[in-house]
Amino acid sequence: MDRETFLAEMAKRTYIEAGSKMHLYMHEMSQRALKYTAKINRSYHRPDRLRTLFFALIGKEKDETFGLFPPFFADYGLNISVGKHVFINSGCCFQDQGGIEIGDDVLIGQQVVIATLNHDPDPERRANMLPAPVKIGNRVWIGAHATVLPGVTIGDGAVIGAGAVVTKDVPANAVALGVPAKIIKFIREE
């Protein structure tokens, strides 16, 4: 299994059987991600060095407008994309095998979890997984301790309240709070 094949299968939302080539590849690549996140998290780094380490983790060209406060954790790293002027606060955990796409001018609060894999609900197949990408639009603010579940799209300008568990898509300019997150108002209509 190579990166391109794996990412293509993730984009197709291919079912991952425990012990399969895809599953073993995920475990192998998690070691790579652990290496980079350990470097990010083990001591103080100036902002430019953090950017260098983060973009090496995600395998993309460094963006000077990106900001990160460690610690930061990722299971894979290579299926994260970030736009311009993105800030990720401390303690965030990204399970990115299924894909995490972050737009421009996004603020992600402390200890936010973004998950892109679901386990099979059947107890006999529980170790198997199904990927689903998370897409975060432009100018989104995700509050501290929020959790975004697999397959969710958050529209441009939306706000996710602190501690929310986002189980469904959130439209543009909506404010969503609670467990599960519910839309309580719109900032402005398009």
Side-chain angles (χ1 to χ4, degrees):
M1 176 79 42
D2 61 31
R3 177 180 174 189
E4 291 74 27
T5 302
F6 178 77
L7 292 175
E9 293 300 316
M10 292 296 101
K12 291 190 294 190
R13 298 185 179 197
T14 299
Y15 186 78
I16 304 163
E17 291 189 27
S20 68
K21 287 182 181 179
M22 285 178 58
H23 191 233
L24 295 174
Y25 173 82
M26 288 168 59
H27 281 275
E28 176 186 330
M29 294 307 289
S30 69
Q31 297 306 302
R32 177 194 172 277
L34 287 169
K35 179 178 81 170
Y36 278 103
T37 58
K39 287 179 185 179
I40 289 168
N41 299 331
R42 76 174 168 217
S43 65
Y44 171 78
H45 300 288
R46 297 196 47 79
D48 190 57
R49 177 69 178 143
L50 279 175
R51 279 189 288 276
T52 298
L53 290 168
F54 180 84
F55 283 92
L57 168 68
I58 69 170
K60 309 272 187 325
E61 186 176 329
K62 183 168 71 170
D63 173 22
E64 297 299 330
T65 68
F66 176 80
L68 172 69
F69 283 179
F72 175 80
F73 304 93
D75 289 359
Y76 180 60
L78 294 169
N79 209 1
I80 300 170
S81 65
V82 296
K84 301 287 187 189
H85 303 283
V86 169
F87 176 71
I88 299 173
N89 214 326
S90 62
C92 291
C93 297
F94 289 9
Q95 180 197 52
D96 67 290
Q97 289 92 338
I100 298 172
E101 182 180 314
I102 301 169
D104 296 333
D105 302 302
V106 172
L107 302 173
I108 299 178
Q110 294 176 325
Q111 298 182 340
V112 167
V113 173
I114 301 175
T116 65
L117 295 174
N118 275 317
H119 285 276
D120 194 312
D122 179 345
E124 299 298 319
R125 299 184 300 168
R126 185 71 38 89
N128 299 346
M129 294 168 276
L130 185 64
V134 169
K135 296 182 180 181
I136 300 168
N138 298 320
R139 300 172 312 283
V140 169
W141 173 23
I142 302 176
H145 298 273
T147 299
V148 181
L149 296 182
V152 167
T153 296
I154 300 172
D156 292 348
V159 175
I160 307 301
V165 177
V166 186
T167 62
K168 298 178 183 173
D169 290 354
V170 176
N173 297 313
V175 176
L177 308 171
V179 179
K182 292 185 174 34
I183 297 165
I184 61 158
K185 67 179 182 177
F186 284 85
I187 297 165
R188 63 176 179 252
E189 298 295 329
E190 289 296 318

